[in-house]
Amino acid sequence: MDGLLSKLRSLDAYPKVNEDFYSRTLSGGAITLASSFIMLLLFVSELRLYLHAVTETTLRVDTSRGEKLRINFDITFPALQCSIISVDVMDISGQEHLDVKHDVFKQRIDAHGNVIATKQDAVGGMKVEKPLQHHGGRLEHNETYCGSCYGAQESPEQCCNSCEDVREAYRKKGWGVSNPDSIDQCKSEGFLQTIKDEEGEGCNIYGILEINKVAGNFHFAPGKSFQQSNVHVHDLLPFQKDSFNLSHKINKLSFGEPFPGVINPLDGAQWIQHSSYGMAQYFVKVVPTVYTHLNEQIILSNQFSVTEHSRSGDSGRVQALPGVFFFYDLSPIKVTFTERHVSFLHFLTNVCAIVGGVFTVSGIIDSFVYHGQRAITKKRELGKFT
């Protein structure tokens, strides 16, 4: 038994030295304090990494199909009235959404950017005693009102009881309304007077667009849009204006749900139109993104990069529609972010490496300082004897 214990004692890699042989120095004490402080700092840093989640990033091909793309926008036009501006969406599959109103909201703002709380009713609309009926005659006392569509009706029974109904019927026919006052509905509603009353106002337009997940564009432009000879055009004649100021500020633009660490490069971007005609274009590359939280909650979203281009000039030389255009395309690569915790064994390994590494380096420094001091002391003693 004693022989076994003796053999076990011979395997001791940590031989002990009697305290009587210890030589403690001032430099050794300073190095010990410094190394202890460094160990503590590194330990706290490692502990924070262990307690907080880390995010892993992977890239893979996007194989999803049939999904929708959600666009969140909030844009301010300080010099364009809400009654003029419209939102259109179209994609390369040929699908179009013209003058989108669902989930799109407009706020009138004054010249100082303050929101005009309530929209006033149109002032100055002329009362039409006997408005034109759909059958071509005038409204009589014993008749139910069914307004004329002024030749744009799709069926003999179709009624256009408001100015908007007439403009929509004209849009479907690919026609433009050149003189709103020639239409009883627009005349009675004071269409032109409403535009005049909003002169000098701006518009804050915000909302959500749900579109197909294919390349396309959405744009903000004055006038109601329609197709004419397979060309997308906007009817600007009813506004009786030669120029439109498309200066704007993008308060928010994102594709999909927000997730931790997302950066939207167009948030806060501003463009000023310095001439009578202007068109701003943003070319956006959308990157599908999946973010997985520690609790396994999955967020399907997108990131994007953007380049900008603008055109301006005099209204007499306008060759394109004035407006703010966003052309978007989709990346075939999907980015995946996954939150995870560092394992305890990894944390323990790093702590041991910190303690052992700092202790070893400190020992080397202390040995170098100690032997250096002894060498200097010996040289001084030899100098005294000579």
Side-chain angles (χ1 to χ4, degrees), residues 133-160:
Q133 289 279 71
H134 72 290
H135 51 67
R138 292 288 175 175
L139 177 65
E140 301 296 337
H141 294 292
N142 57 350
E143 280 188 297
T144 301
Y145 179 57
C146 179
S148 171
C149 295
Y150 294 85
Q153 63 272 9
E154 296 179 336
S155 65
E157 295 79 18
Q158 182 180 352
C159 300
C160 295

Side-chain angles (χ1 to χ4, degrees), residues 53-353:
V54 295
T55 304
E56 290 184 343
T57 305
T58 56
L59 301 177
R60 61 187 65 180
V61 176
D62 184 15
T63 57
S64 59
R65 293 183 299 172
E67 294 182 355
K68 291 288 185 179
L69 183 63
R70 172 174 172 167
I71 303 174
N72 311 292
F73 65 90
D74 182 352
I75 303 178
T76 299
F77 294 87
L80 196 65
Q81 300 100 300
C82 285
S83 58
I84 290 180
I85 194 168
S86 64
V87 185
D88 298 331
V89 182
M90 51 194 69
D91 58 46
I92 59 173
S93 68
Q95 187 170 1
E96 295 183 346
H97 301 278
L98 304 180
D99 196 14
V100 179
K101 289 183 170 61
H102 182 66
D103 288 333
V104 175
F105 307 93
K106 298 177 181 179
Q107 285 184 324
R108 294 167 58 193
I109 58 175
D110 59 23
H112 303 288
N114 301 317
V115 176
I116 299 174
T118 56
K119 184 175 181 179
Q120 298 180 352
D121 294 329
V123 179
M126 297 178 62
K127 184 178 180 181
V128 179
E129 293 293 340
K130 292 184 177 182
L132 190 65
Q133 289 279 71
H134 72 290
H135 51 67
R138 292 288 175 175
L139 177 65
E140 301 296 337
H141 294 292
N142 57 350
E143 280 188 297
T144 301
Y145 179 57
C146 179
S148 171
C149 295
Y150 294 85
Q153 63 272 9
E154 296 179 336
S155 65
E157 295 79 18
Q158 182 180 352
C159 300
C160 295
N161 294 337
S162 66
C163 182
E164 183 63 25
D165 291 344
V166 178
R167 294 178 67 203
E168 181 65 19
Y170 268 54
R171 183 190 68 78
K172 290 180 179 178
K173 285 285 187 179
W175 301 349
V177 180
S178 58
N179 183 13
D181 277 346
S182 65
I183 297 172
D184 291 344
Q185 293 89 325
C186 297
K187 194 173 185 179
S188 62
E189 293 175 13
F191 177 79
L192 290 179
Q193 187 61 43
T194 300
I195 296 174
K196 293 178 181 178
D197 291 341
E198 293 183 2
E199 192 70 34
E201 293 182 3
C203 186
N204 173 231
I205 182 168
Y206 62 94
I208 299 170
L209 300 174
E210 292 277 355
I211 58 179
N212 294 327
K213 197 174 179 180
V214 294
N217 81 84
F218 63 98
H219 57 264
F220 304 84
K224 183 175 284 291
S225 58
F226 57 90
Q227 289 288 336
Q228 189 176 66
S229 302
N230 294 324
V231 178
H232 181 78
V233 296
H234 280 242
D235 183 14
L236 305 180
L237 292 176
F239 306 121
Q240 300 180 359
K241 298 181 66 173
D242 294 330
S243 63
F244 300 90
N245 189 343
L246 273 301
S247 298
H248 61 275
K249 180 181 180 181
I250 303 175
N251 304 309
K252 174 187 175 184
L253 181 67
S254 61
F255 293 79
E257 297 291 336
F259 60 90
V262 64
I263 297 176
N264 299 314
L266 281 179
D267 288 1
Q270 193 169 1
W271 182 76
I272 305 297
Q273 179 178 319
H274 297 287
S275 59
S276 58
Y277 160 75
M279 179 175 66
Q281 297 174 312
Y282 299 93
F283 299 91
V284 178
K285 192 73 171 181
V286 180
V287 181
T289 303
V290 178
Y291 194 98
T292 305
H293 287 276
L294 281 173
N295 57 6
E296 297 185 354
Q297 177 189 358
I298 297 177
I299 300 177
L300 301 178
S301 187
N302 301 276
Q303 303 176 82
F304 69 95
S305 61
V306 62
T307 56
E308 304 176 24
H309 177 70
S310 62
R311 298 170 60 182
S312 60
D314 297 327
S315 58
R317 295 186 289 114
V318 174
Q319 298 296 324
L321 174 69
V324 179
F325 294 79
F326 296 87
F327 300 91
Y328 57 89
D329 196 5
L330 295 163
S331 169
I333 302 299
K334 177 188 291 186
V335 180
T336 303
F337 296 107
T338 305
E339 288 184 350
R340 67 174 185 85
H341 267 311
V342 176
S343 67
F344 179 74
L345 289 178
H346 184 79
F347 167 72
L348 188 62
T349 302
N350 287 351
V351 170
C352 292

